[in-house]
C-alpha cells in the first residue's frame, strides 16, 4: 500500500522550499515556538490607547484651533500658544513612563541592554517626536505664526517612520548585517525587519511581557520561514504607504492655493 502524505507536512515542505530554506524537516504550526501574548485578550486596552493617542495628536489640537481661529478675538500667536501647549501631553506622559520602565526594570529591557540604554522603538519614537516638536515650536514662535509649518509635525513623523522602515528593507535585501546593537540584536547579526523590532519592544515593555516574550519572538522568527517572510512583507506594507501618505500630505500643506487653515487641518489630522 502506498504511503499517505500528511497535507500539513506537504504544505510545510512546499513553503520551506519556496523560501529557500535548507531545513531537513518541517514543523507544523502547533510545533513552532508559541508567543506568550495574544492581541485578542487585550482588545479593549488597545482601543483605549489608540483613542488617547488620537485625542492627543489630532482631536484636541483641532478642537481648540478652529473655534479659537474663527470665533474668538485672540491673535494667532496666542491661539498657537494654546494648541502647542496641549500637543503631546498624553504622549509625553507615556514616554516618561516608558523611560522609567526601561531604566528601572531589567526584565523588560532588550537582552544585553543597560540601564542607561533604550530599545529601538523608544529611540525611534523619541527622535520622531523631537522632530515634530521642533517644527511646531519653530512654526508657532514668530509673532505671526507660520501656520503651514505648524501643520507639519504629523506628516514629518510619518515620513520619518516610513523612511526608517524602508532602510531596514533595503538592508535586508542587500544582506547588510546589523551595523550596531538594535534592541536585542547584536552588531553583525543578520538584520531583521523594523516591524520585528517594533513588535518585540512594544509587547515586551508596554504590555509588561518582558524578556520571555523577546526570547519567544526570536525563537519563532528563527524557526518559521513563513513568519520571517510575513514580517519582511509587513515592513514594506508599513513603509511604502507611510512615505506616500507623508509626501502627499506635505504637498497639500505647502501648496499656496490651499488655504492655510485647511492645510493645518489636513496636516494635523494625518
Amino acid at each position: 500500500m502506498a504511503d499517505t502524505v500528511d497535507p500539513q507536512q506537504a504544505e510545510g515542505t512546499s513553503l520551506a522550499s519556496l523560501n529557500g530554506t535548507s531545513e531537513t524537516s518541517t514543523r507544523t504550526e502547533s510545533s513552532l515556538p508559541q508567543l506568550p501574548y495574544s492581541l485578542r485578550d487585550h482588545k479593549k486596552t488597545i482601543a483605549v490607547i489608540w483613542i488617547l493617542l488620537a485625542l492627543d495628536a489630532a482631536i484636541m489640537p483641532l478642537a481648540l484651533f478652529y473655534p479659537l481661529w474663527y470665533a474668538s478675538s485672540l491673535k494667532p500667536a496666542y491661539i498657537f500658544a494654546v494648541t502647542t501647549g496641549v500637543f503631546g501631553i498624553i504622549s509625553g506622559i507615556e514616554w516618561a513612563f516608558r523611560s522609567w520602565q526601561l531604566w528601572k526594570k531589567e526584565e523588560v529591557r532588550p537582552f544585553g541592554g543597560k540601564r542607561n540604554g533604550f530599545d529601538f522603538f523608544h529611540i525611534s519614537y523619541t527622535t520622531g517626536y523631537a522632530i515634530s516638536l521642533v517644527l511646531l515650536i519653530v512654526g508657532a514662535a514668530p509673532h505671526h505664526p507660520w501656520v503651514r509649518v505648524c501643520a507639519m509635525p504629523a506628516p514629518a513623523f510619518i515620513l520619518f517612520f516610513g523612511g526608517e522602515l524602508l532602510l531596514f528593507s533595503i538592508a535586508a535585501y542587500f544582506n547588510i548585517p546589523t551595523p550596531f546593537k538594535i534592541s536585542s540584536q547584536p552588531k553583525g547579526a543578520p538584520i531583521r525587519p523594523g516591524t520585528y523590532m517594533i513588535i518585540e519592544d512594544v509587547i515586551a515593555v508596554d504590555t509588561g511581557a518582558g524578556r520571555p516574550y523577546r526570547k519567544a519572538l526570536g525563537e519563532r522568527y528563527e524557526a518559521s520561514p513563513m513568519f520571517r517572510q510575513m514580517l519582511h512583507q509587513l515592513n514594506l506594507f508599513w513603509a511604502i504607504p507611510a512615505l506616500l501618505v507623508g509626501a502627499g500630505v506635505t504637498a497639500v500643506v505647502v501648496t499656496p492655493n490651499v488655504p492655510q487653515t485647511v492645510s493645518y487641518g489636513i496636516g494635523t489630522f494625518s
Side-chain angles (χ1 to χ4, degrees), residues 23 33 35 172 185 190-193 195-196 215-229 231-232:
E23 296 173 349
L35 301 178
Q185 299 307 301
I191 199 160
R192 296 182 178 182
T195 46
Y196 176 95
K215 182 174 183 292
L217 185 67
E219 291 174 348
R220 181 63 171 263
Y221 185 86
E222 292 292 338
S224 173
M226 182 180 291
F227 188 65
R228 293 196 295 271
Q229 184 182 43
L231 287 181
H232 281 286

Side-chain angles (χ1 to χ4, degrees), residues 114-137:
K114 299 179 181 179
R115 173 172 286 188
N116 60 349
F118 293 137
D119 58 20
F120 166 79
F121 176 78
H122 202 76
I123 294 171
S124 298
Y125 181 80
T126 302
T127 304
Y129 187 84
I131 293 170
S132 299
L133 193 59
V134 167
L135 284 169
L136 189 60
I137 293 172

Side-chain angles (χ1 to χ4, degrees), residues 50-233:
W50 278 106
I51 290 171
L52 290 175
L53 290 175
L55 283 170
D56 184 44
I59 296 174
M60 285 197 301
L62 292 177
L64 289 169
F65 174 76
Y66 286 108
L68 291 175
W69 187 274
Y70 289 108
S72 78
S73 58
L74 288 176
K75 294 180 180 179
Y78 296 131
I79 292 174
F80 278 101
V82 173
T83 58
T84 303
V86 301
F87 174 80
I89 291 178
I90 297 173
S91 299
I93 294 172
E94 165 62 18
W95 179 89
F97 180 69
R98 199 173 191 281
S99 299
W100 178 83
Q101 285 186 301
L102 285 167
W103 182 80
K104 186 72 174 178
K105 299 180 180 179
E106 182 179 0
E107 63 270 19
V108 304
R109 293 180 207 145
F111 290 107
K114 299 179 181 179
R115 173 172 286 188
N116 60 349
F118 293 137
D119 58 20
F120 166 79
F121 176 78
H122 202 76
I123 294 171
S124 298
Y125 181 80
T126 302
T127 304
Y129 187 84
I131 293 170
S132 299
L133 193 59
V134 167
L135 284 169
L136 189 60
I137 293 172
V138 169
H143 183 68
H144 297 287
W146 299 331
V147 178
R148 297 184 192 277
V149 176
C150 292
M152 280 302 300
F157 189 92
I158 295 171
L159 285 170
F160 169 77
F161 174 75
E164 186 176 50
L165 291 181
L166 185 61
L167 286 176
F168 275 93
S169 291
I170 293 172
Y173 181 81
F174 289 103
N175 296 316
I176 299 173
T178 305
F180 43 79
K181 189 179 186 308
I182 302 178
S183 288
S184 295
Q185 299 307 301
K187 179 181 178 179
I191 199 160
R192 296 182 178 182
T195 46
Y196 176 95
M197 307 299 177
I198 293 171
I199 292 169
E200 176 189 337
D201 293 341
V202 170
I203 301 299
V205 180
D206 297 83
T207 72
R211 286 184 171 176
Y213 184 84
R214 294 184 187 273
K215 182 174 183 292
L217 185 67
E219 291 174 348
R220 181 63 171 263
Y221 185 86
E222 292 292 338
S224 173
M226 182 180 291
F227 188 65
R228 293 196 295 271
Q229 184 182 43
M230 180 195 72
L231 287 181
H232 281 286
Q233 291 174 344

